[in-house]
Amino acid sequence: MASRRSTRGLDWLNFFVADMQTGFGPFVAVYLTAQGWTEFEVGMALSIGTLTTVLSQLPAGAMVDSTPHKRAAALVALLAIPASALLLAIWPTGLPVIASEILHGVASCVLAPAIAAISLALVGRAALGERLGRNARYAAVGNGLAAAALGAAGTYLSGASVFWLTAILAIPSLVALVFIRSEDLRPSLPAAERREGPSLRGLLDLLRLRGVVVFAICCGLFTLANAAMLPLAGAEVTRNAGEEANLIIAACIVLPQFVVALISPWMGRLAERRGRRIALLLGFGALPLRGLLLALVDDPLVLVLVQALDGISAAVLGILLPLLAADLTQGSNRFNLCIGVFGLAVGIGGTLSTTVAGAVASWLGPGAAFAMLGVAGLLSFLLVLLALPETAPLGRRAGEVTA
């Protein structure tokens, strides 16, 4: 059983990593818009980061699977993220911003599977759902608190201060990683079963599984709908609200993260007791509703309230993506490669989302862009409803698992 020190270290690692990651995404859109970048230029810059993720997900997943040094992989990523934040803070011009997005994209697609691998190695597959719910709760609290602090810094200090603070938050993240003891991390498989060679060779085997293919498509459609919603809303708020834009964006992040923190443990238990699909339907169903409402409202207060729906979707995807990967790779050493497949789909969806939504907003207006995103979200919900098989082991459903 994992020591209390390692368990707490993983808790706080999720907390402070979320703090750092909050400085990217919507805050980048607000920052670059304030620097005079157009919607299309902002969309292209964000898309470069997600394109980097597309190219890096599978190698990153295979690397994390193949190395016994999960903490070292997380360490390298934790050092790269503050470096990318500093590039944004110091040089908010073309090439440095592109370099920052590339560096952040690579680091993020290593860090996410590394933390998932550490979680699996710490608690085992049987307790993974509960652990992922706990990860999501700490990440949500960290994200919400960081959004409030970074929003205030961007409003009352400068836009660049958001990224200076992001870089500083790497320090407690590294301390938390040190607290996770290597002797508490057990292999996900006995040594006798780990004879597959480099896990990237198992990609074709993964793609023969219906659950992997269907959920990868669901992830792509989900992120196509989701990725551009808040950056697009943030660009509109920046034009309409002026100096208060950073505070409004911060509120749009804080409220969903409060929802994530509130419901994540319950979602993890629901997925274990009642199966994965019911939890997925709740999260994926909230997405098209959010897109529809964002297309209809322009009041900043209502915008913040609508963003609460993002908390439901974020909690579900954050927990279910690695949980389905664990289900679908039971008995193999391809857990992180499967996460990479899903992450690749997420990256493709995100790349298309920010670029296409930015173009549609420029040509037809933000209302049309939100409507387009909502339709993509509806398609992802229907695919979960009609095509995704249940992946939870039978013994873990219908109340057979203790809390």
Side-chain angles (χ1 to χ4, degrees):
M1 184 174 180
S3 67
R4 182 177 177 85
R5 167 180 161 169
S6 293
T7 300
R8 289 299 185 187
L10 183 55
D11 289 341
W12 291 108
L13 178 61
N14 281 282
F15 177 88
F16 287 114
V17 164
D19 284 351
M20 285 197 302
Q21 297 287 46
T22 302
F24 296 88
F27 281 112
V28 173
V30 171
Y31 179 55
L32 295 180
T33 300
Q35 298 292 322
W37 289 50
T38 67
E39 283 179 336
F40 183 73
E41 289 170 337
V42 171
M44 286 298 298
L46 296 176
S47 293
I48 287 172
T50 52
L51 179 60
T52 302
T53 303
V54 170
L55 299 176
S56 305
Q57 282 285 351
L58 294 180
M63 181 272 291
V64 175
D65 274 338
S66 62
T67 180
H69 306 294
K70 314 298 185 187
R71 294 191 307 160
L75 173 63
V76 173
L78 285 174
L79 294 174
I81 290 175
S84 65
L86 291 176
L87 280 173
L88 283 172
I90 298 171
W91 296 294
T93 56
L95 288 178
V97 169
I98 291 173
S100 172
E101 287 294 310
I102 291 173
L103 185 59
H104 179 253
V106 172
S108 295
C109 73
V110 171
L111 186 56
I115 291 177
I118 290 171
S119 301
L120 178 59
L122 199 62
V123 303
R125 291 181 186 269
L128 186 58
E130 294 282 349
R131 179 66 250 185
L132 292 172
R134 184 163 172 162
N135 287 359
R137 167 168 281 181
Y138 274 83
V141 173
N143 204 336
L145 293 177
L150 295 173
T155 300
Y156 299 115
L157 297 177
S158 68
S161 67
V162 169
F163 305 105
W164 287 106
L165 288 174
T166 296
I168 291 171
L169 287 168
I171 297 172
S173 300
L174 293 169
V175 172
L177 182 63
V178 169
F179 268 76
I180 301 173
R181 301 169 57 185
S182 59
E183 54 265 35
D184 286 334
L185 303 181
R186 52 189 172 182
S188 58
L189 288 173
E193 296 181 38
R194 286 182 278 125
R195 295 175 179 172
E196 299 165 350
S199 59
L200 192 56
R201 295 177 185 172
L203 179 59
L204 291 179
D205 291 335
L206 285 178
L207 294 180
R208 293 188 184 102
L209 299 175
R210 176 188 170 194
V212 171
V213 174
V214 172
F215 190 62
I217 297 172
C218 290
C219 288
L221 287 171
F222 179 96
T223 315
L224 174 62
N226 186 65
M229 281 191 185
L230 188 52
L232 186 62
E236 292 302 307
V237 166
T238 300
R239 290 179 175 82
N240 298 330
E243 293 297 321
E244 297 179 352
N246 276 294
L247 284 177
I248 295 170
I249 292 299
C252 286
I253 297 173
V254 170
L255 183 58
Q257 293 310 312
F258 176 79
V259 174
V260 172
L262 185 65
I263 70 172
S264 287
W266 177 80
M267 281 292 184
R269 289 192 293 270
L270 177 68
E272 292 287 5
R273 293 177 176 177
R274 308 298 298 177
R276 315 315 192 204
R277 290 180 74 251
I278 187 170
L280 285 168
L281 288 171
L282 288 173
F284 279 57
L287 184 58
L289 177 60
R290 175 169 157 245
L292 174 63
L293 292 174
L294 287 175
L296 298 176
V297 303
D298 54 13
D299 182 85
L301 178 59
V302 178
L303 172 66
V304 172
L305 295 176
V306 169
Q307 276 298 112
L309 292 171
D310 188 37
I312 301 174
S313 299
V316 168
L317 191 66
I319 296 169
L320 269 296
L321 189 152
L323 192 55
L324 262 71
D327 292 343
L328 292 163
T329 58
Q330 185 80 28
S332 75
N333 191 32
R334 294 166 184 160
F335 171 58
N336 292 287
L337 181 61
C338 190
I339 289 179
V341 171
F342 297 153
L344 174 62
V346 166
I348 292 172
T351 300
L352 294 174
S353 181
T354 50
T355 302
V356 174
V360 172
S362 297
W363 299 332
L364 302 177
F370 283 124
M372 180 271 296
L373 297 175
V375 169
L378 179 60
L379 290 175
S380 70
F381 171 81
L382 292 175
L383 196 57
V384 171
L385 177 65
L386 301 175
L388 184 66
E390 179 58 66
T391 64
L394 289 174
R396 298 186 194 178
R397 301 183 210 166
E400 296 179 37
V401 174
T402 57

